Coordinates of all heavy atoms in Angstrom, one line a residue:
M1 N -116.8 -47.6 -60.1 CA -115.4 -47.5 -59.7 C -115.3 -47.8 -58.2 O -116.2 -47.5 -57.4 CB -114.8 -46.1 -59.9 CG -113.3 -46.0 -59.8 SD -112.3 -46.8 -60.9 CE -112.5 -45.9 -62.4
L2 N -114.3 -48.5 -57.8 CA -114.2 -49.0 -56.4 C -113.5 -47.9 -55.4 O -112.7 -47.2 -55.9 CB -113.3 -50.3 -56.4 CG -113.8 -51.4 -57.3 CD1 -112.8 -52.5 -57.4 CD2 -115.1 -51.9 -56.8
W3 N -114.0 -48.0 -54.2 CA -113.3 -47.3 -53.2 C -113.3 -45.8 -53.4 O -112.4 -45.1 -53.0 CB -112.0 -47.8 -52.8 CG -112.0 -49.1 -52.0 CD1 -113.0 -50.0 -52.0 CD2 -110.9 -49.6 -51.3 NE1 -112.6 -51.0 -51.2 CE2 -111.3 -50.8 -50.7 CE3 -109.7 -49.1 -50.9 CZ2 -110.6 -51.6 -49.9 CZ3 -108.9 -49.9 -50.1 CH2 -109.3 -51.1 -49.6
G4 N -114.4 -45.2 -53.9 CA -114.6 -43.8 -53.9 C -113.7 -43.1 -55.1 O -113.5 -41.9 -54.9
L5 N -113.3 -43.8 -56.1 CA -112.5 -43.1 -57.1 C -113.3 -42.8 -58.4 O -112.8 -42.6 -59.4 CB -111.3 -44.0 -57.5 CG -110.3 -44.2 -56.3 CD1 -109.3 -45.2 -56.8 CD2 -109.6 -42.9 -56.0
K6 N -114.6 -42.8 -58.2 CA -115.5 -42.6 -59.3 C -115.1 -41.4 -60.1 O -115.0 -40.3 -59.5 CB -116.9 -42.6 -58.8 CG -117.9 -42.6 -60.0 CD -119.4 -42.6 -59.3 CE -120.4 -42.8 -60.5 NZ -121.7 -42.9 -60.0
G7 N -115.0 -41.6 -61.4 CA -114.7 -40.5 -62.3 C -113.2 -40.0 -62.4 O -112.9 -39.1 -63.2
H8 N -112.4 -40.7 -61.6 CA -111.0 -40.4 -61.6 C -110.2 -41.5 -62.2 O -110.3 -42.7 -61.7 CB -110.4 -40.1 -60.2 CG -111.1 -38.8 -59.6 ND1 -110.8 -37.6 -60.0 CD2 -112.0 -38.8 -58.7 CE1 -111.5 -36.7 -59.3 NE2 -112.3 -37.4 -58.5
V9 N -109.4 -41.3 -63.2 CA -108.5 -42.3 -63.8 C -107.1 -41.8 -63.7 O -106.8 -40.6 -63.8 CB -108.9 -42.7 -65.2 CG1 -110.3 -43.4 -65.2 CG2 -108.9 -41.5 -66.1
S10 N -106.2 -42.8 -63.5 CA -104.7 -42.4 -63.5 C -104.0 -43.6 -64.1 O -103.3 -44.4 -63.4 CB -104.3 -42.2 -62.0 OG -103.0 -41.9 -61.9
P11 N -104.0 -43.7 -65.4 CA -103.3 -44.9 -66.0 C -101.8 -44.8 -66.0 O -101.2 -45.9 -66.2 CB -103.9 -44.8 -67.5 CG -104.2 -43.4 -67.7 CD -104.7 -42.9 -66.4
Y12 N -101.3 -43.7 -65.6 CA -99.8 -43.6 -65.6 C -99.2 -43.3 -64.2 O -98.1 -42.7 -64.1 CB -99.3 -42.6 -66.6 CG -99.8 -42.9 -68.0 CD1 -100.9 -42.1 -68.5 CD2 -99.4 -44.0 -68.7 CE1 -101.4 -42.4 -69.8 CE2 -99.9 -44.3 -69.9 CZ -100.9 -43.5 -70.5 OH -101.4 -43.8 -71.7
M13 N -100.0 -43.6 -63.2 CA -99.5 -43.4 -61.8 C -99.2 -41.9 -61.6 O -98.3 -41.5 -60.9 CB -98.4 -44.2 -61.4 CG -98.7 -45.7 -61.3 SD -97.3 -46.7 -60.7 CE -97.3 -46.2 -59.0
S14 N -100.0 -41.0 -62.2 CA -99.8 -39.6 -62.1 C -100.7 -38.9 -61.0 O -100.7 -37.7 -60.9 CB -100.0 -38.9 -63.4 OG -101.3 -39.2 -63.9
L15 N -101.5 -39.7 -60.3 CA -102.4 -39.2 -59.4 C -102.1 -39.6 -58.0 O -101.9 -40.8 -57.7 CB -103.9 -39.6 -59.7 CG -105.1 -39.1 -58.9 CD1 -105.2 -37.6 -59.0 CD2 -106.3 -39.8 -59.3
T16 N -102.0 -38.7 -57.0 CA -101.8 -39.1 -55.6 C -103.0 -38.7 -54.9 O -103.6 -37.6 -55.1 CB -100.6 -38.2 -55.1 OG1 -99.4 -38.5 -55.8 CG2 -100.3 -38.6 -53.6
V17 N -103.5 -39.7 -54.1 CA -104.8 -39.4 -53.4 C -104.6 -39.7 -51.9 O -103.6 -40.4 -51.5 CB -105.9 -40.4 -53.9 CG1 -106.2 -40.1 -55.3 CG2 -105.4 -41.9 -53.7
H18 N -105.4 -39.1 -51.0 CA -105.4 -39.3 -49.6 C -106.1 -40.6 -49.3 O -107.2 -40.9 -49.8 CB -106.1 -38.2 -48.9 CG -106.3 -38.4 -47.5 ND1 -105.3 -38.1 -46.6 CD2 -107.3 -38.7 -46.7 CE1 -105.6 -38.4 -45.3 NE2 -106.9 -38.8 -45.4
V19 N -105.4 -41.5 -48.6 CA -106.0 -42.8 -48.2 C -106.9 -42.5 -47.0 O -106.4 -42.0 -45.9 CB -104.9 -43.8 -47.9 CG1 -105.6 -45.1 -47.4 CG2 -104.0 -44.0 -49.1
K20 N -108.2 -42.9 -47.0 CA -109.0 -42.7 -45.9 C -108.5 -43.4 -44.7 O -107.9 -44.5 -44.8 CB -110.4 -43.3 -46.2 CG -111.1 -42.6 -47.3 CD -112.4 -43.3 -47.6 CE -113.2 -42.6 -48.7 NZ -114.5 -43.2 -49.0
D21 N -108.6 -42.8 -43.5 CA -108.1 -43.3 -42.3 C -108.5 -44.8 -42.0 O -107.6 -45.6 -41.6 CB -108.5 -42.4 -41.1 CG -107.9 -41.1 -41.1 OD1 -106.8 -40.9 -41.7 OD2 -108.5 -40.1 -40.5
E22 N -109.7 -45.1 -42.3 CA -110.2 -46.4 -42.0 C -109.6 -47.5 -43.0 O -109.7 -48.7 -42.7 CB -111.7 -46.5 -42.1 CG -112.3 -46.2 -43.4 CD -112.7 -44.7 -43.6 OE1 -112.1 -43.9 -42.9 OE2 -113.4 -44.4 -44.5
L23 N -109.0 -47.1 -44.1 CA -108.4 -48.0 -45.0 C -106.9 -48.2 -44.8 O -106.3 -49.1 -45.4 CB -108.7 -47.6 -46.4 CG -110.2 -47.6 -46.8 CD1 -110.4 -47.0 -48.2 CD2 -110.8 -48.9 -46.7
R24 N -106.3 -47.3 -44.1 CA -104.8 -47.3 -44.0 C -104.3 -48.6 -43.4 O -103.2 -49.1 -43.9 CB -104.3 -46.2 -43.2 CG -104.4 -44.8 -43.8 CD -103.9 -43.7 -43.0 NE -104.2 -42.5 -43.7 CZ -103.9 -41.3 -43.2 NH1 -103.2 -41.2 -42.0 NH2 -104.2 -40.2 -43.8
K25 N -105.0 -49.2 -42.5 CA -104.5 -50.5 -41.9 C -104.7 -51.6 -42.9 O -104.1 -52.6 -42.8 CB -105.2 -50.8 -40.6 CG -104.8 -49.9 -39.5 CD -105.4 -50.2 -38.1 CE -104.9 -49.2 -37.1 NZ -105.6 -49.5 -35.8
K26 N -105.7 -51.4 -43.7 CA -106.0 -52.5 -44.7 C -105.0 -52.5 -45.9 O -104.8 -53.6 -46.5 CB -107.4 -52.4 -45.2 CG -108.0 -53.6 -45.9 CD -109.5 -53.5 -46.1 CE -110.0 -54.8 -46.5 NZ -111.3 -55.1 -46.2
I27 N -104.4 -51.4 -46.2 CA -103.5 -51.3 -47.3 C -102.2 -50.6 -46.9 O -101.8 -49.6 -47.6 CB -104.1 -50.7 -48.5 CG1 -104.7 -49.3 -48.2 CG2 -105.2 -51.6 -49.2 CD1 -105.2 -48.5 -49.4
P28 N -101.5 -51.0 -45.9 CA -100.4 -50.2 -45.4 C -99.2 -50.2 -46.4 O -98.5 -49.3 -46.4 CB -100.0 -51.0 -44.1 CG -100.5 -52.4 -44.4 CD -101.8 -52.2 -45.1
A29 N -99.1 -51.2 -47.3 CA -98.0 -51.3 -48.2 C -98.0 -50.2 -49.3 O -97.0 -49.9 -49.9 CB -97.9 -52.7 -48.8
V30 N -99.2 -49.7 -49.5 CA -99.3 -48.7 -50.5 C -99.6 -47.3 -50.0 O -99.9 -46.4 -50.7 CB -100.5 -49.1 -51.6 CG1 -100.1 -50.4 -52.3 CG2 -101.8 -49.1 -50.9
T31 N -99.6 -47.2 -48.7 CA -99.8 -45.9 -48.0 C -98.5 -45.2 -47.6 O -97.8 -45.8 -46.8 CB -100.8 -46.1 -46.8 OG1 -102.0 -46.8 -47.2 CG2 -101.1 -44.7 -46.2
H32 N -98.3 -44.1 -48.1 CA -97.0 -43.3 -47.7 C -97.2 -42.8 -46.3 O -98.3 -42.7 -45.7 CB -96.8 -42.1 -48.6 CG -96.8 -42.6 -50.1 ND1 -97.2 -41.7 -51.1 CD2 -96.3 -43.6 -50.7 CE1 -97.1 -42.3 -52.3 NE2 -96.5 -43.5 -52.1
V33 N -96.1 -42.4 -45.7 CA -96.1 -41.9 -44.3 C -97.0 -40.6 -44.1 O -97.5 -40.4 -43.1 CB -94.7 -41.5 -43.8 CG1 -93.8 -42.8 -43.7 CG2 -94.0 -40.5 -44.7
D34 N -97.2 -39.9 -45.2 CA -98.1 -38.7 -45.1 C -99.6 -39.1 -45.3 O -100.5 -38.2 -45.4 CB -97.7 -37.6 -46.0 CG -97.8 -38.0 -47.5 OD1 -98.2 -39.1 -47.9 OD2 -97.6 -37.1 -48.4
G35 N -99.9 -40.4 -45.5 CA -101.3 -40.8 -45.6 C -101.8 -40.8 -47.1 O -103.0 -41.0 -47.3
T36 N -100.9 -40.6 -48.0 CA -101.3 -40.6 -49.4 C -100.8 -41.9 -50.1 O -100.1 -42.7 -49.6 CB -100.7 -39.4 -50.2 OG1 -99.3 -39.5 -50.2 CG2 -101.1 -38.1 -49.6
S37 N -101.3 -42.1 -51.3 CA -100.9 -43.2 -52.1 C -100.9 -42.8 -53.6 O -101.7 -42.0 -54.0 CB -101.9 -44.4 -51.9 OG -101.4 -45.5 -52.7
R38 N -99.9 -43.2 -54.3 CA -99.9 -42.9 -55.8 C -100.4 -44.1 -56.5 O -99.9 -45.3 -56.3 CB -98.4 -42.7 -56.2 CG -98.3 -42.1 -57.6 CD -96.9 -41.6 -57.9 NE -95.9 -42.7 -57.7 CZ -95.2 -43.1 -58.7 NH1 -95.2 -42.6 -59.9 NH2 -94.3 -44.1 -58.5
L39 N -101.5 -44.0 -57.2 CA -102.2 -45.1 -57.8 C -102.2 -45.1 -59.3 O -102.0 -44.0 -59.9 CB -103.6 -45.2 -57.2 CG -104.5 -44.0 -57.5 CD1 -105.3 -44.2 -58.7 CD2 -105.4 -43.9 -56.3
Q40 N -102.4 -46.3 -59.8 CA -102.6 -46.5 -61.3 C -103.9 -47.2 -61.4 O -104.2 -48.3 -60.8 CB -101.5 -47.3 -61.8 CG -101.7 -47.6 -63.3 CD -100.6 -48.4 -63.9 OE1 -99.8 -49.0 -63.2 NE2 -100.5 -48.5 -65.2
T41 N -104.8 -46.6 -62.2 CA -106.2 -47.3 -62.4 C -106.0 -48.2 -63.6 O -105.2 -47.9 -64.6 CB -107.2 -46.2 -62.7 OG1 -106.8 -45.3 -63.7 CG2 -107.5 -45.4 -61.4
V42 N -106.7 -49.2 -63.6 CA -106.7 -50.2 -64.7 C -108.1 -50.3 -65.3 O -109.1 -50.6 -64.5 CB -106.2 -51.6 -64.2 CG1 -106.3 -52.6 -65.3 CG2 -104.9 -51.5 -63.6
M43 N -108.3 -50.0 -66.5 CA -109.6 -50.0 -67.1 C -109.8 -51.4 -67.9 O -108.8 -51.9 -68.5 CB -109.8 -48.9 -68.2 CG -109.5 -47.5 -67.6 SD -110.6 -47.1 -66.3 CE -112.1 -46.8 -67.2
E44 N -110.9 -52.0 -67.7 CA -111.2 -53.3 -68.4 C -111.0 -53.2 -69.9 O -110.4 -54.2 -70.5 CB -112.6 -53.7 -68.0 CG -112.9 -55.1 -68.5 CD -114.3 -55.6 -68.1 OE1 -115.2 -54.8 -67.7 OE2 -114.5 -56.9 -68.2
S45 N -111.4 -52.1 -70.5 CA -111.2 -52.0 -71.9 C -109.8 -51.9 -72.4 O -109.5 -52.3 -73.5 CB -112.0 -50.7 -72.4 OG -111.5 -49.6 -71.7
D46 N -108.9 -51.5 -71.5 CA -107.4 -51.4 -71.9 C -106.7 -52.6 -71.5 O -105.8 -53.0 -72.3 CB -106.8 -50.2 -71.1 CG -107.4 -48.9 -71.6 OD1 -107.8 -48.8 -72.7 OD2 -107.4 -48.0 -70.7
E47 N -107.0 -53.2 -70.4 CA -106.2 -54.4 -69.9 C -107.2 -55.4 -69.3 O -107.3 -55.6 -68.1 CB -105.3 -54.0 -68.8 CG -104.1 -53.0 -69.2 CD -103.1 -53.7 -70.1 OE1 -103.0 -54.9 -70.1 OE2 -102.4 -52.9 -70.8
P48 N -107.9 -56.1 -70.2 CA -109.0 -57.0 -69.7 C -108.5 -58.2 -68.7 O -109.1 -58.5 -67.8 CB -109.7 -57.6 -70.9 CG -108.7 -57.3 -72.0 CD -107.9 -56.1 -71.6
L49 N -107.4 -58.7 -69.1 CA -106.8 -59.8 -68.3 C -106.4 -59.3 -66.9 O -106.7 -60.0 -65.8 CB -105.7 -60.5 -69.0 CG -105.2 -61.8 -68.4 CD1 -106.3 -62.9 -68.3 CD2 -104.0 -62.4 -69.2
Y50 N -105.6 -58.2 -66.9 CA -105.2 -57.7 -65.6 C -106.3 -57.2 -64.7 O -106.4 -57.4 -63.6 CB -104.2 -56.5 -65.9 CG -103.3 -56.1 -64.7 CD1 -102.9 -57.0 -63.7 CD2 -103.0 -54.8 -64.5 CE1 -102.2 -56.6 -62.6 CE2 -102.3 -54.4 -63.5 CZ -101.8 -55.3 -62.5 OH -101.1 -54.8 -61.5
Y51 N -107.3 -56.6 -65.4 CA -108.5 -56.2 -64.7 C -109.2 -57.4 -64.1 O -109.7 -57.2 -62.9 CB -109.5 -55.5 -65.7 CG -110.7 -54.9 -65.1 CD1 -110.8 -53.6 -64.7 CD2 -111.9 -55.7 -65.0 CE1 -111.9 -53.0 -64.1 CE2 -113.0 -55.2 -64.5 CZ -113.0 -53.9 -64.0 OH -114.2 -53.4 -63.4
R52 N -109.4 -58.4 -64.8 CA -110.0 -59.6 -64.2 C -109.2 -60.2 -63.0 O -109.8 -60.6 -62.1 CB -110.3 -60.7 -65.3 CG -111.4 -60.4 -66.3 CD -111.8 -61.5 -67.1 NE -110.9 -62.2 -67.8 CZ -110.4 -62.1 -69.0 NH1 -111.0 -61.1 -69.7 NH2 -109.5 -62.8 -69.5
L53 N -107.9 -60.1 -63.1 CA -107.1 -60.6 -62.0 C -107.4 -59.7 -60.7 O -107.5 -60.2 -59.7 CB -105.6 -60.5 -62.4 CG -104.6 -60.7 -61.2 CD1 -104.5 -62.2 -60.9 CD2 -103.3 -60.1 -61.5
I54 N -107.4 -58.4 -60.9 CA -107.6 -57.5 -59.8 C -109.0 -57.7 -59.2 O -109.2 -57.8 -58.0 CB -107.4 -56.0 -60.2 CG1 -106.0 -55.8 -60.6 CG2 -107.8 -55.0 -59.1 CD1 -105.7 -54.5 -61.3
K55 N -110.0 -57.9 -60.1 CA -111.4 -58.2 -59.7 C -111.4 -59.5 -58.9 O -112.1 -59.6 -57.8 CB -112.3 -58.2 -60.9 CG -113.8 -58.2 -60.6 CD -114.6 -58.0 -61.9 CE -116.0 -58.0 -61.5 NZ -116.8 -57.8 -62.7
A56 N -110.8 -60.5 -59.3 CA -110.7 -61.8 -58.6 C -110.1 -61.6 -57.2 O -110.5 -62.2 -56.3 CB -110.1 -62.9 -59.4
F57 N -109.0 -60.9 -57.2 CA -108.3 -60.6 -56.0 C -109.2 -59.9 -55.0 O -109.3 -60.2 -53.8 CB -107.0 -59.8 -56.2 CG -106.2 -59.6 -55.0 CD1 -105.4 -60.6 -54.5 CD2 -106.2 -58.4 -54.3 CE1 -104.6 -60.4 -53.3 CE2 -105.5 -58.2 -53.2 CZ -104.7 -59.2 -52.7
F58 N -110.0 -59.0 -55.5 CA -111.0 -58.2 -54.7 C -112.0 -59.2 -54.1 O -112.3 -59.1 -52.9 CB -111.6 -57.1 -55.6 CG -112.7 -56.3 -54.9 CD1 -112.6 -55.9 -53.5 CD2 -113.8 -55.9 -55.5 CE1 -113.5 -55.1 -52.9 CE2 -114.7 -55.1 -54.9 CZ -114.6 -54.7 -53.6
K59 N -112.5 -60.1 -54.9 CA -113.5 -61.0 -54.4 C -112.9 -61.9 -53.2 O -113.6 -62.2 -52.3 CB -114.0 -61.9 -55.5 CG -115.0 -61.3 -56.5 CD -115.5 -62.3 -57.5 CE -116.4 -61.6 -58.4 NZ -116.9 -62.5 -59.5
L60 N -111.7 -62.2 -53.3 CA -111.0 -63.1 -52.3 C -110.6 -62.3 -51.1 O -110.7 -62.9 -49.9 CB -109.7 -63.7 -52.9 CG -109.9 -64.8 -53.9 CD1 -108.6 -65.2 -54.5 CD2 -110.6 -66.0 -53.3
T61 N -110.3 -61.0 -51.2 CA -109.7 -60.3 -50.1 C -110.5 -59.1 -49.6 O -110.2 -58.6 -48.5 CB -108.3 -59.9 -50.4 OG1 -108.4 -58.9 -51.5 CG2 -107.4 -61.0 -50.9
G62 N -111.3 -58.6 -50.4 CA -112.0 -57.3 -50.1 C -111.2 -56.1 -50.4 O -111.6 -55.0 -50.1
V63 N -110.0 -56.3 -51.1 CA -109.1 -55.2 -51.4 C -109.1 -55.2 -52.9 O -108.6 -56.1 -53.6 CB -107.7 -55.5 -50.9 CG1 -106.8 -54.3 -51.3 CG2 -107.8 -55.6 -49.4
P64 N -109.6 -54.1 -53.6 CA -109.7 -54.0 -55.0 C -108.4 -53.5 -55.7 O -108.5 -52.6 -56.6 CB -110.9 -53.0 -55.2 CG -110.7 -52.0 -54.0 CD -110.2 -53.0 -52.9
M65 N -107.3 -54.0 -55.2 CA -106.0 -53.5 -55.8 C -104.9 -54.5 -55.5 O -105.0 -55.3 -54.7 CB -105.6 -52.2 -55.2 CG -105.3 -52.2 -53.7 SD -105.0 -50.6 -53.0 CE -106.6 -49.8 -53.1
V66 N -103.9 -54.5 -56.3 CA -102.7 -55.2 -56.1 C -101.5 -54.2 -56.1 O -101.6 -53.2 -56.7 CB -102.5 -56.3 -57.2 CG1 -103.6 -57.3 -57.2 CG2 -102.4 -55.7 -58.6
L67 N -100.5 -54.7 -55.5 CA -99.3 -53.8 -55.4 C -98.3 -54.3 -56.5 O -97.9 -55.5 -56.5 CB -98.6 -53.9 -54.0 CG -97.2 -53.3 -53.9 CD1 -97.4 -51.7 -54.1 CD2 -96.7 -53.5 -52.4
N68 N -97.9 -53.4 -57.4 CA -97.0 -53.8 -58.4 C -95.8 -52.9 -58.2 O -95.9 -51.7 -58.3 CB -97.7 -53.5 -59.8 CG -96.7 -53.9 -60.9 OD1 -95.7 -54.6 -60.7 ND2 -97.1 -53.5 -62.1
T69 N -94.7 -53.5 -58.0 CA -93.5 -52.7 -57.7 C -92.4 -53.1 -58.8 O -92.4 -54.1 -59.3 CB -93.0 -53.0 -56.3 OG1 -91.8 -52.1 -56.0 CG2 -92.5 -54.4 -56.1
S70 N -91.5 -52.1 -58.9 CA -90.4 -52.4 -59.9 C -89.4 -53.2 -59.3 O -89.3 -53.4 -58.0 CB -89.8 -51.0 -60.3 OG -89.3 -50.4 -59.1
F71 N -88.7 -54.0 -60.1 CA -87.6 -54.9 -59.6 C -86.3 -54.4 -60.4 O -86.1 -54.8 -61.5 CB -87.9 -56.3 -59.9 CG -86.9 -57.3 -59.7 CD1 -85.9 -57.1 -58.7 CD2 -86.8 -58.5 -60.4 CE1 -84.8 -58.0 -58.5 CE2 -85.8 -59.4 -60.1 CZ -84.8 -59.2 -59.2
N72 N -85.6 -53.6 -59.7 CA -84.3 -53.2 -60.1 C -83.5 -52.8 -58.9 O -83.9 -52.2 -58.0 CB -84.3 -52.1 -61.1 CG -85.0 -50.9 -60.6 OD1 -85.8 -50.9 -59.7 ND2 -84.8 -49.7 -61.3
T73 N -82.3 -53.4 -58.8 CA -81.5 -53.1 -57.6 C -80.4 -52.1 -57.8 O -79.8 -51.6 -56.8 CB -80.8 -54.5 -57.1 OG1 -80.0 -55.0 -58.2 CG2 -81.9 -55.5 -56.7
I74 N -80.1 -51.7 -59.0 CA -79.2 -50.7 -59.3 C -79.9 -49.5 -59.9 O -80.6 -49.6 -60.9 CB -78.1 -51.2 -60.3 CG1 -77.5 -52.5 -59.8 CG2 -77.1 -50.1 -60.7 CD1 -76.6 -53.2 -60.8
K75 N -79.8 -48.3 -59.2 CA -80.6 -47.2 -59.6 C -80.5 -46.8 -61.1 O -81.4 -46.3 -61.6 CB -80.1 -46.0 -58.7 CG -80.6 -46.1 -57.3 CD -80.2 -44.9 -56.5 CE -80.6 -45.0 -55.0 NZ -80.3 -43.8 -54.3
S76 N -79.3 -47.0 -61.7 CA -79.1 -46.5 -63.0 C -79.7 -47.5 -64.1 O -79.7 -47.2 -65.2 CB -77.6 -46.3 -63.3 OG -77.0 -47.5 -63.2
E77 N -80.2 -48.6 -63.6 CA -80.7 -49.6 -64.5 C -82.2 -49.6 -64.7 O -82.9 -49.2 -63.7 CB -80.3 -51.1 -64.1 CG -78.8 -51.3 -64.2 CD -78.5 -52.8 -64.4 OE1 -79.4 -53.6 -64.5 OE2 -77.3 -53.0 -64.4
P78 N -82.8 -49.9 -65.8 CA -84.2 -49.9 -66.0 C -84.9 -51.1 -65.2 O -84.2 -51.9 -64.7 CB -84.4 -50.1 -67.4 CG -83.2 -50.8 -67.9 CD -82.1 -50.3 -67.0
I79 N -86.2 -51.1 -65.1 CA -86.9 -52.2 -64.5 C -86.6 -53.5 -65.1 O -86.5 -53.6 -66.4 CB -88.4 -51.9 -64.5 CG1 -88.7 -50.6 -63.7 CG2 -89.2 -53.0 -64.0 CD1 -90.1 -50.1 -63.9
T80 N -86.4 -54.5 -64.3 CA -86.2 -55.9 -64.8 C -87.4 -56.3 -65.7 O -88.5 -56.3 -65.3 CB -86.0 -56.8 -63.6 OG1 -84.9 -56.3 -62.8 CG2 -85.7 -58.2 -64.0
E81 N -87.0 -56.8 -66.9 CA -88.1 -57.3 -67.8 C -88.0 -58.8 -68.1 O -89.1 -59.3 -68.5 CB -87.9 -56.6 -69.1 CG -88.2 -55.1 -69.0 CD -88.1 -54.4 -70.3 OE1 -88.0 -55.0 -71.4 OE2 -88.2 -53.1 -70.3
T82 N -86.9 -59.4 -67.9 CA -86.8 -60.8 -68.2 C -86.3 -61.7 -67.0 O -85.6 -61.0 -66.1 CB -85.9 -61.1 -69.4 OG1 -84.6 -60.7 -69.1 CG2 -86.3 -60.3 -70.6
P83 N -86.4 -63.0 -67.0 CA -85.8 -63.7 -65.9 C -84.3 -63.6 -65.9 O -83.7 -63.5 -64.8 CB -86.2 -65.2 -66.3 CG -87.5 -65.1 -67.1 CD -87.3 -63.8 -67.9
A84 N -83.6 -63.5 -67.1 CA -82.2 -63.3 -67.1 C -81.8 -61.9 -66.4 O -80.8 -61.8 -65.7 CB -81.7 -63.3 -68.5
D85 N -82.6 -60.9 -66.7 CA -82.4 -59.6 -66.1 C -82.5 -59.7 -64.5 O -81.8 -59.2 -63.8 CB -83.5 -58.5 -66.5 CG -83.2 -58.1 -67.9 OD1 -82.2 -58.3 -68.5 OD2 -84.2 -57.4 -68.4
G86 N -83.5 -60.5 -64.1 CA -83.7 -60.6 -62.7 C -82.6 -61.4 -62.0 O -82.1 -61.0 -60.9
V87 N -82.1 -62.4 -62.6 CA -80.9 -63.2 -62.0 C -79.7 -62.3 -62.0 O -79.0 -62.2 -61.0 CB -80.7 -64.5 -62.8 CG1 -79.4 -65.1 -62.4 CG2 -81.8 -65.4 -62.7
R88 N -79.5 -61.5 -63.1 CA -78.3 -60.7 -63.1 C -78.4 -59.6 -62.0 O -77.5 -59.3 -61.3 CB -78.2 -60.0 -64.5 CG -76.9 -59.1 -64.6 CD -76.9 -58.5 -66.0 NE -78.1 -57.9 -66.6 CZ -78.6 -56.8 -66.2 NH1 -78.0 -56.1 -65.3 NH2 -79.8 -56.3 -66.7
S89 N -79.6 -59.0 -61.9 CA -79.8 -57.9 -60.9 C -79.6 -58.5 -59.5 O -79.0 -57.9 -58.6 CB -81.3 -57.4 -61.1 OG -81.5 -56.3 -60.2
F90 N -80.2 -59.7 -59.2 CA -80.1 -60.4 -58.0 C -78.6 -60.6 -57.6 O -78.1 -60.4 -56.5 CB -80.8 -61.6 -57.9 CG -80.7 -62.4 -56.6 CD1 -81.4 -62.0 -55.5 CD2 -79.9 -63.5 -56.6 CE1 -81.2 -62.7 -54.3 CE2 -79.7 -64.3 -55.4 CZ -80.4 -63.8 -54.3
L91 N -77.9 -61.2 -58.6 CA -76.5 -61.5 -58.4 C -75.5 -60.3 -58.1 O -74.5 -60.4 -57.5 CB -75.9 -62.4 -59.5 CG -76.5 -63.8 -59.6 CD1 -76.0 -64.5 -60.8 CD2 -76.2 -64.6 -58.3
H92 N -76.0 -59.2 -58.7 CA -75.1 -58.0 -58.5 C -75.7 -57.0 -57.4 O -75.2 -55.9 -57.3 CB -75.1 -57.2 -59.9 CG -74.3 -58.0 -60.9 ND1 -74.9 -58.8 -61.8 CD2 -72.9 -58.0 -61.0 CE1 -73.9 -59.4 -62.5 NE2 -72.7 -58.9 -62.1
A93 N -76.7 -57.5 -56.7 CA -77.2 -56.6 -55.6 C -76.1 -56.4 -54.5 O -75.3 -57.3 -54.2 CB -78.4 -57.3 -54.9
R94 N -76.1 -55.2 -54.0 CA -75.0 -54.9 -53.0 C -75.6 -55.0 -51.6 O -76.6 -54.8 -51.3 CB -74.5 -53.5 -53.3 CG -73.9 -53.5 -54.6 CD -73.4 -52.1 -54.9 NE -72.9 -52.2 -56.4 CZ -72.5 -51.2 -57.0 NH1 -72.4 -50.1 -56.5 NH2 -72.0 -51.4 -58.2

């Protein structure tokens, strides 16, 4: 497991961890103001294609993670799932 998470899995973003001081500058977009991060682990056996993408990104950047964020501009709406949802959400942004 990468970056000291050996033995810990969080497939549903249910785990919050302290980001080591020396890594905060490397991953500021995923580090909260209190120095923690809520993460989701990806297992090769569950998501082989996504796992390979993250592994390739790690080889290129030295960062073994990607930031995946929701795309919804209206709080009461679910996460955008289709291009049509995205266009509608963008056009109705306030």
Side-chain angles (χ1 to χ4, degrees):
M1 190 67 74
L2 304 171
W3 283 22
L5 296 173
K6 188 174 185 177
H8 298 283
V9 295
S10 180
Y12 305 108
M13 293 184 72
S14 57
L15 183 64
T16 302
V17 297
H18 175 76
V19 179
K20 294 178 181 180
D21 291 338
E22 64 270 17
L23 297 177
R24 289 183 188 177
K25 288 184 181 177
K26 195 163 190 153
I27 56 169
V30 300
T31 305
H32 305 146
V33 295
D34 67 354
T36 64
S37 184
R38 191 168 59 119
L39 59 92
Q40 177 181 14
T41 54
V42 177
M43 305 300 289
E44 185 174 18
S45 58
D46 296 331
E47 296 289 341
L49 189 59
Y50 194 37
Y51 182 90
R52 287 196 308 266
L53 171 77
I54 296 168
K55 191 172 180 179
F57 185 78
F58 179 37
K59 284 183 180 179
L60 289 171
T61 66
V63 178
M65 63 184 71
V66 295
L67 173 61
N68 182 12
T69 185
S70 59
F71 173 27
N72 55 344
T73 57
I74 302 169
K75 289 182 181 181
S76 62
E77 293 206 3
I79 294 172
T80 300
E81 293 183 5
T82 66
D85 288 346
V87 169
R88 183 178 46 76
S89 184
F90 176 75
L91 292 175
H92 291 95
R94 296 175 187 181

